[in-house]
Amino acid sequence: MQASRKGTGTRACILAGPVLAEDDPEKDFGSGAIQYPLTFWKVVCIADPDEHPRGEPALQVFGFLLNQRNVVDEFGIERFDPGSFRRYLRPLDEIEQVAGVVFDRALHRADTKARR
């Protein structure tokens, strides 16, 4: 694996999510038991303008499967409380504007901070 980061203008996008398995462990945080994943996927996409002879960004994509069983075994699992990050919450349309990304309409419909 080789990722060029030597020049200026290199941009990266990181996508990640869980790998859900029927045998994932479960924990009760006070509202009933929920399963939590131990394996995650991560895809790192790098557009590096220094790597293409015509000056167009060369795309490099790196895919990973990561397991956090040893971290969970050592430190346990904690409950995610979105309230502790409330001051950082923004509507998806605002994130689209500043980041230059487009989220699917289904995500907009479920956006808890949507300007309705």
Side-chain angles (χ1 to χ4, degrees):
M1 173 172 70
Q2 185 176 9
S4 174
R5 303 279 306 159
K6 62 184 172 285
T8 59
T10 299
R11 296 179 178 244
C13 178
I14 300 172
L15 309 169
V19 175
L20 304 175
E22 287 193 25
D23 62 343
D24 281 336
E26 60 182 41
K27 181 169 176 102
D28 188 339
F29 292 100
S31 300
I34 60 164
Q35 284 186 289
Y36 56 91
L38 294 175
T39 304
F40 290 83
W41 59 267
K42 186 173 286 198
V43 174
V44 180
C45 308
I46 300 173
D48 192 339
D50 294 338
E51 291 297 314
H52 195 281
R54 291 181 299 197
E56 299 169 14
L59 181 63
Q60 296 177 315
V61 177
F62 304 92
F64 302 91
L65 283 176
L66 307 164
N67 189 295
Q68 65 175 11
R69 180 175 295 278
N70 60 340
V71 174
V72 170
D73 288 347
E74 185 172 345
F75 300 106
I77 186 84
E78 63 183 87
R79 178 182 178 172
F80 171 68
D81 178 13
S84 62
F85 297 97
R86 186 159 310 282
R87 67 181 176 158
Y88 301 108
L89 283 171
R90 298 293 184 272
L92 291 182
D93 61 351
E94 181 180 328
I95 296 170
E96 286 180 331
Q97 289 175 342
V98 299
V101 298
V102 177
F103 295 108
D104 189 86
R105 298 286 10 130
L107 297 178
H108 280 278
R109 287 191 298 272
D111 183 5
T112 61
K113 287 294 283 185
R115 298 177 183 131
R116 302 195 199 279

